[in-house]
Amino acid sequence: MSTSHFQPIILFSEHSKKFKPEDMQTRINGKNCIVTGANSGLGFATAEGLASRGATVYMVCRNKEREKLRFLNSVCDLSSVSEIKSFASRFSSKDVPIHILVNNAGLLEHKRVTTSEGFELNFSVNVLGTYSITELMLPLVEKAAPDARVITVSSGGMYTAPLTTDLQYSDSNFNGVDQYARNKRVQVALTEKWAETYKNKGIGFYSMHPGWAETPGVAKSLPGLSERLSGNLRTGEEGADTIIWLALQPKEKLVSGAFYFDRAEAPKHLMFSATGGSHVLIDSVVDSLRSLSALSS
């Protein structure tokens, strides 16, 4: 597989020389966090990082293979809107404020796979699932205002893709890597839109690129990349570093709607790329997502 779609590997050790250790020493005792896709890799490292700083962490996973005493597991297939609605309904009955929602669940499926609900699989998890769980959890996130935040794990893969309204890749010649990049672009544009829409709600919305990490997801989805860059990929903990950093910083240090990489705000478009003006399509994309998820506005 070609890695031309992906940014050059930037070693964590280079950027981490500028990191401030005190940024990660904040305690978040009493805060409630939801982390999706937390069975392994970045999600599990994020859950561990938040729990070790005192948070109550709710892991939302497809199965219960990870049972840890300090985590509260919920089983939910994030490719299914009906399962997400069922989870949200059950969780909302707890009536607990959610201080931090981490949208980490994601996948890269190379072949066109259609879910039982009729959606292309990459889109259903990366975009429709992320949209649905965020919108359904917002009442509980708002209960944690003004210190509430939603962090969505995107990818540098999005740099190659402009925002498009062709959400389910209508081209008969399906390309999973291209679709993944498109999905990750939607996440960044959605984060921007949420920040604008809910700016008076006391919720911060942030997207981020974790860098290319040696996780089960990368090994399965991008075996060529994983093999070629073995030893240069980030650990799960290094990939999760900026997720945890975003969860811990005072909100006045952060920019709602921004895209982050290695504890710093990063551009959403590469110079001379054709992606720059594409975010004007976000209202149309949101209308489609609202319709497909059957969520009311």
Side-chain angles (χ1 to χ4, degrees), residues 114-120 168:
T114 303
T115 70
S116 61
E117 294 173 347
F119 303 121
E120 189 279 315
Q168 298 192 67

Side-chain angles (χ1 to χ4, degrees), residues 188-235:
V188 171
L190 257 182
T191 296
E192 214 172 59
K193 182 64 180 176
W194 278 325
E196 176 195 319
T197 304
Y198 301 115
K199 61 179 179 286
N200 298 321
K201 299 281 191 182
I203 307 169
F205 292 88
Y206 316 100
S207 58
M208 58 80 66
H209 171 38
W212 300 103
E214 203 154 354
T215 64
V218 168
K220 180 184 175 189
S221 302
L222 297 166
L225 180 78
S226 191
E227 286 166 22
R228 273 198 296 280
L229 297 170
S230 181
N232 287 319
L233 291 173
R234 297 170 178 222
T235 64

